[in-house]
Amino acid sequence: MSAAPTATATPALPPLVRAVDVRKRFGDFDALHGITLDIAPGEVLCVVGPSGSGKSTFLRCINQLETVSGGALWVAGELLGFRRAGDRLHALSEGGIARQRLKTGMVFQRFNLFPHMTALENVTEGPVQVLRRPRAEVEAEARALLARVGLASKCDAFPIELSGGQQQRVAIARALAMKPQLMLFDEPTSALDPELVGEVLGVMRDLARSGMTMVVVTHELGFAREVASRVMFMDQGRVVETGTPQQVLSEPRHERTREFISAVRG
C-alpha cells in the first residue's frame, strides 16, 4: 500500500521589518532601549503610548532619518545603513541610504508639500525626478492615486487652496507614488482639526484593507482597534506590551498600559 500523502505547512513569509535590540541615544538621553520585533508582510502595526515614549524615534530609525546607536534593523531582508563585504560591515553612503529609503513611504504630522506645486505636481515630483520615470506614465498614476484618496477634482489645486485633511491625503498619495513596500505614519492626524481626522483615517483604512504593510504611530485608539493587526504600547523608550487590539486596548496586562488607555479615553 502506498503511504497517504502528508500535509505540509505553508512556510511563513519572512518578516518585512526586523528590529533586533534597537537602541537610540541623544547625548545622555536614551530614547530607545533595545526594541526587538518582527513585522510581517501585510501587517498593520499601531504603536501607541504617551508623548516622549520613543514611538516617533523608532519610526524615524526605520526610515533612516535617525541612525541607530545600537542593534540592527532590516527591511525586506536588507540590513539598513550598512553593506557587508566578506566578514565586515561598511556604513552606506548617503546615496546608498537614499536607495534603501525608497522601500518605505513616510507620512508625517505636518504635510511638507511643496507650496509652489499643485497637488498633481507634488505627487509626480518624486517618481519623475528620483526614479527617472516617464512623466506621462507617472502623471496617469498620480491622477489615479489622487482619485484613490478622494481628490480627483483637486489635481490642479495648490496646497494653500486645500484643507489640512486634503493636504494630508495628497501627502499619502505622494508617498504611495514611489511604490513603497512599507508605509510609515507618524501621528498623521495630530495636526488636523477634529472634523478633518475622519477623512484621513478613511484613506488609511482603505490602504490597510488593500494589504499594504503599515506602521502607524497614533493616539486614535478607535482606529487602532478597528484596523490594527497588532498594537504595541511603548513607554520611556521600551515596549511595555504588544498583542492584538483586543488584548492591549481592552484587556491590557500591565498597569502602565491601563493607566494610559484610561487617560486617553478621559
Side-chain angles (χ1 to χ4, degrees):
M1 296 178 61
S2 60
T6 57
T8 56
T10 302
L13 293 172
L16 184 62
V17 180
R18 169 159 285 177
V20 176
D21 195 28
V22 171
R23 286 165 276 131
K24 178 61 183 178
R25 168 171 285 192
F26 296 100
D28 294 330
F29 174 67
D30 290 314
L32 296 176
H33 297 267
I35 307 298
T36 296
L37 81 156
D38 287 347
I39 302 171
E43 183 174 11
V44 179
L45 175 69
C46 283
V47 186
V48 301
S51 297
S53 61
K55 308 181 303 296
S56 295
T57 298
F58 180 57
L59 225 60
R60 291 173 65 85
C61 286
I62 295 175
N63 204 38
Q64 299 192 77
L65 296 173
E66 300 289 352
T67 302
V68 299
S69 304
L73 276 161
W74 289 261
V75 172
E78 188 174 7
L79 177 64
L80 297 187
F82 296 90
R83 62 177 178 84
R84 184 177 294 278
D87 294 330
R88 298 177 64 86
L89 290 176
H90 300 272
L92 288 178
S93 65
E94 283 298 319
I97 290 173
R99 178 190 59 78
Q100 287 188 334
R101 196 177 285 138
L102 292 175
K103 295 180 180 180
T104 64
M106 189 158 179
V107 178
F108 300 87
Q109 298 176 29
R110 295 291 175 178
F111 326 121
N112 299 321
L113 299 179
F114 295 114
H116 63 289
M117 294 183 179
T118 64
L120 184 66
E121 290 168 341
N122 266 280
V123 176
T124 60
E125 181 72 3
V128 170
Q129 298 299 326
V130 177
L131 301 182
R132 304 298 183 187
R133 294 183 55 208
R135 183 173 295 276
E137 179 182 286
V138 168
E139 185 171 310
E141 291 180 4
R143 290 184 183 276
L145 283 171
L146 287 169
R148 181 178 180 182
V149 300
L151 295 174
S153 65
K154 299 294 185 180
C155 289
D156 297 325
F158 289 91
I160 198 171
E161 300 173 305
L162 301 173
S163 70
Q166 290 171 332
Q167 289 186 58
Q168 191 63 295
R169 284 186 279 158
V170 173
I172 293 172
R174 178 179 61 182
L176 292 173
M178 301 296 286
K179 300 184 184 297
Q181 295 176 257
L182 170 71
M183 283 289 289
L184 308 173
F185 293 88
D186 187 7
E187 298 191 25
T189 61
S190 65
L192 300 178
D193 292 333
E195 65 269 22
L196 302 177
V197 168
E199 62 190 51
V200 174
L201 294 182
V203 170
M204 294 171 65
R205 285 187 189 93
D206 290 341
L207 195 57
R209 283 193 287 265
S210 76
M212 174 64 74
T213 310
M214 299 164 58
V215 184
V216 184
V217 170
T218 183
H219 287 296
E220 301 287 344
L221 298 189
F223 172 81
R225 188 185 305 278
E226 176 188 351
V227 175
S229 313
R230 189 161 41 129
V231 174
M232 183 169 77
F233 174 68
M234 292 183 65
D235 188 39
Q236 297 183 350
R238 293 179 170 87
V239 176
V240 177
E241 64 180 294
T242 182
T244 66
Q246 174 70 17
Q247 289 169 338
V248 176
L249 301 179
S250 297
E251 303 164 3
R253 298 184 302 273
H254 293 266
E255 178 61 28
R256 182 66 188 96
T257 315
R258 290 193 287 271
E259 290 173 356
F260 172 77
I261 292 171
S262 177
V264 171
R265 287 174 177 165

